[in-house]
Amino acid sequence: MDWKKASKKTMMAVVLATSFTGFSMIAQQPATAEAFSLGNLGNLGGLEGIAKMGQQFAEAKAKLSAEIDVLNTTEDGRNYLMNSFQQKYGVDNDPAMNQRLTNMMQVMTSAIRQVDSSIDDKPYRYFLNPDKSFNAFCSMGHVMSVNRGAFERVSCDDELAFVVGHEMGHGQKDHTAKSVLKSADKQLLAQIASQSLGGNQLTDTICNMGMNISMAHSDKGREWEADNLSWEYMTHTNYNLGAGAAVWQRMLEEYGDNTQKGMNLWFNPSDHPNHAARRDNYVKKLEAYSGKHVTAKNGDVFVNGKKFVMPAAQENISSEERSYLVMGNLARAYHDGQNKNAVTVKGNTVMMGSQAIMTTNADDESAQTLADRLNSIK
């Protein structure tokens, strides 16, 4: 064959055809799993055979896409995924945790609806599973699960809501469905093209791919997108907006900046943004949300460039993690115009207008001292 005279379209067909093993075009014979190899290029029947191979490649990709679409968008497909996930991971029926999860999903669904009405086209299906590690996932079909360990390892539901919002961000952008199609390897496409994989086997294969991708979260760009979407959703709730930075500070303190510690983690495969970067991303969003009035660093909270407070550690929450929650309350107060009101004290809680800023403990400065300071710098 004179390759110099081959058209760009034909050359692309060769590239596509030779990018996976599993079948070859010899005259009009059906594809087989053993027939194709680079050594068989001379037996392809010329340009017509090469083009035919490219066509079969495209048809295999289209069939895979159609199967993914069934699982991702139809009620039968979503039922299948839900049942598969529950069988694989188990269901935890703890009534208190399930109620908390239900409440959280209702709040987050309402928040997402304000920025993305498509959520009503495919309502989320979710369940609590008994795994003790800190994890949550959202796969195709808006099928979600949260590990029991996620509830047990955060300091408040505000932090967990950021995790749930992150997973719903993946869901709203169909990240898993897109990743399954993108990650289809040469062997899978060859099996589809040769008709050696189809029916229930193909459905199960796609389902398993979706499970693996959902758990691994292996695309850094999509992780950032989900983080940013979670922030956007959370601004339409009453959750503490500082909880996004707080939960990543918590992970940083417990696991270090970029290590899995042997866990099947939602938050840190090696190609993910690291914990500190994700925390700092949320800190910048808090600063902007407050109109640049508030920031926090190394446990200190600043208002208009002046130190307001370094909260003391409290029970199982560090000073720095707590500082981001204080920052979140201040950011909300400034965003909502509560800074126009006087800072007062209600019991042990510092209030800016109607917004609670910080409830002091025995190791903090007194609420009145903090209120007086905040009045002087706000």
Side-chain angles (χ1 to χ4, degrees):
M1 177 180 293
D2 188 347
W3 296 105
K4 294 182 180 180
K5 295 182 179 180
S7 68
K8 289 185 179 180
K9 181 176 181 180
T10 303
M11 288 294 289
M12 181 57 70
V14 173
V15 171
L16 292 175
T18 59
S19 67
F20 61 95
T21 60
F23 69 94
S24 68
M25 276 303 303
I26 303 176
Q28 301 299 317
Q29 295 299 313
T32 66
E34 294 79 18
F36 183 80
S37 70
L38 291 176
N40 285 337
L41 283 175
N43 299 323
L44 292 177
L47 295 180
E48 182 179 350
I50 294 171
K52 182 67 173 179
M53 181 178 288
Q55 180 183 348
Q56 288 207 348
F57 175 90
E59 289 173 353
K61 198 84 168 179
K63 183 176 181 180
L64 176 62
S65 179
E67 293 283 346
I68 292 170
D69 193 56
V70 169
L71 285 170
N72 191 41
T73 63
T74 70
E75 290 306 295
D76 285 345
R78 281 159 32 86
N79 286 336
Y80 179 88
L81 286 169
M82 184 71 164
N83 292 334
S84 297
F85 286 138
Q86 288 181 330
Q87 289 176 18
K88 182 176 179 65
Y89 297 110
V91 177
D92 191 321
N93 293 311
D94 182 288
M97 285 189 182
N98 273 281
Q99 188 58 57
R100 288 166 65 190
L101 179 56
T102 294
N103 293 343
M104 199 173 296
M105 289 299 297
Q106 290 174 347
V107 170
M108 296 307 298
T109 295
S110 178
I112 293 173
R113 187 178 292 118
Q114 296 181 57
V115 297
D116 185 358
S117 62
S118 72
I119 191 171
D120 292 321
D121 298 334
K122 193 163 57 177
Y124 282 80
R125 300 187 179 189
Y126 57 90
F127 66 98
L128 178 70
N129 75 71
D131 194 298
K132 292 285 191 175
S133 64
F134 188 107
N135 205 356
F137 66 83
C138 181
S139 191
M140 294 178 288
H142 285 182
V143 175
M144 279 186 58
S145 187
V146 179
N147 289 16
R148 183 185 184 91
F151 280 90
E152 295 176 338
R153 297 173 101 126
V154 296
S155 66
C156 56
D157 279 359
D158 306 73
E159 292 183 353
L160 187 57
F162 261 97
V163 175
V164 168
H166 173 101
E167 295 306 327
M168 295 176 85
H170 282 307
Q172 289 307 111
K173 296 302 180 181
D174 277 334
H175 283 168
T176 298
K178 293 173 182 175
S179 293
V180 170
L181 186 62
K182 181 180 178 181
S183 65
D185 62 18
K186 53 190 177 182
Q187 182 178 2
L188 174 62
L189 291 172
Q191 289 175 322
I192 295 172
S194 66
Q195 300 182 18
S196 63
L197 181 65
N200 290 338
Q201 280 188 315
L202 179 57
T203 301
D204 288 341
T205 297
I206 296 170
C207 180
N208 287 331
M209 291 174 67
M211 286 184 183
N212 293 335
I213 288 171
S214 300
M215 296 296 288
H217 298 75
S218 57
D219 184 291
K220 183 181 289 188
R222 287 175 177 167
E223 288 305 297
W224 278 122
E225 183 177 27
D227 273 3
N228 292 334
L229 285 169
S230 184
W231 165 267
E232 183 177 8
Y233 302 154
M234 290 287 282
T235 63
H236 294 278
T237 74
N238 290 323
Y239 287 120
N240 188 322
L241 295 177
V247 73
W248 287 113
Q249 177 63 30
R250 193 174 187 82
M251 296 304 106
L252 179 62
E253 291 169 4
E254 187 167 356
Y255 302 114
D257 196 23
N258 197 24
T259 177
Q260 294 189 38
K261 293 286 186 181
M263 295 202 308
N264 183 22
L265 286 182
W266 163 73
F267 33 70
N268 197 22
S270 60
D271 56 356
H272 272 33
N274 63 38
H275 299 159
R278 300 177 92 161
R279 176 201 62 194
D280 294 346
N281 178 48
Y282 283 134
V283 170
K284 289 179 182 178
K285 291 181 182 298
L286 285 164
E287 291 172 349
Y289 194 79
S290 74
K292 301 295 185 180
H293 289 284
V294 185
T295 192
K297 185 175 183 180
N298 299 328
D300 286 317
V301 181
F302 299 88
V303 175
N304 294 323
K306 298 178 181 179
K307 181 178 175 179
F308 165 52
V309 66
M310 175 182 279
Q314 180 175 300
E315 296 177 359
N316 69 336
I317 179 172
S318 72
S319 172
E320 188 161 356
E321 181 182 350
R322 194 171 170 221
S323 75
Y324 294 123
L325 295 173
V326 173
M327 183 186 180
N329 287 332
L330 282 165
R332 180 84 74 175
Y334 272 94
H335 183 270
D336 293 347
Q338 294 296 326
N339 59 300
K340 298 173 184 177
N341 301 310
V343 180
T344 59
V345 173
K346 185 176 181 180
N348 291 328
T349 301
V350 179
M351 305 287 298
M352 182 180 279
S354 61
Q355 174 67 54
I357 301 300
M358 176 179 168
T359 298
T360 60
N361 64 31
D363 295 321
D364 289 315
E365 295 176 276
S366 72
Q368 189 60 59
T369 297
L370 293 175
D372 293 342
R373 183 180 300 142
L374 188 52
N375 268 320
S376 71
I377 63 177
K378 73 181 180 69

